[in-house]
Amino acid sequence: MKTLNFLVIGKNQEILETLKRIIENNEGWKAEIQNDENICPDYIKDNQVDIVLLSSGLDEQFEKDIKVFCENLDKDVKVIDHYGGGSGLLKNEVYALFPNLQP
């Protein structure tokens, strides 16, 4: 199974930790969490990131900027706007981007 590396960005630490736990409950899925937007572009450039998951509390301009940043990279980084809905919704969002990973 392909390993998926997530960068989860948001402002609520409790939600970030919950998302990390939910993501890592899936075989081959790994998550890093970050609440400092300034660090994110360098992290994405310097690390293997398949999915940037945008959580709650982020500035609208940052969300637009990070999407453009990811689109302009030489590597294929997907962005998901995720503001809740549970683990089932998150899985569906991921499988929509990576249909070949569906069990």
Side-chain angles (χ1 to χ4, degrees):
M1 167 174 269
K2 174 181 171 41
T3 299
L4 284 181
N5 296 295
F6 291 73
L7 175 61
V8 184
I9 309 168
K11 288 299 185 181
N12 183 308
Q13 191 65 29
E14 187 175 336
I15 291 173
L16 292 176
E17 290 169 9
T18 299
L19 286 168
K20 179 178 175 69
R21 189 171 53 254
I22 289 169
I23 290 167
E24 293 186 345
N25 273 339
N26 295 279
E27 184 179 342
W29 293 14
K30 305 292 181 199
E32 292 295 326
I33 57 176
Q34 186 55 253
N35 60 16
D36 183 350
E37 296 104 325
N38 297 318
I39 293 172
C40 296
D42 285 336
Y43 183 89
I44 295 166
K45 278 193 305 192
D46 297 339
N47 295 276
Q48 175 60 42
V49 176
D50 300 298
I51 298 173
V52 172
L53 188 75
L54 303 177
S55 185
S56 60
L58 298 171
D59 180 72
E60 187 177 332
Q61 188 60 52
F62 169 77
E63 290 184 10
K64 289 177 185 176
D65 292 345
I66 201 72
K67 288 175 185 176
V68 169
F69 176 82
C70 290
E71 287 173 7
N72 291 326
L73 287 175
D74 287 338
K75 50 188 182 176
D76 189 23
V77 178
K78 311 284 190 205
V79 179
I80 296 175
D81 294 307
H82 182 78
Y83 304 109
S87 60
L89 175 61
L90 178 58
K91 283 182 183 179
N92 286 333
E93 291 169 332
V94 172
Y95 291 145
L97 295 174
F98 298 93
N100 58 317
L101 296 180
Q102 290 188 24

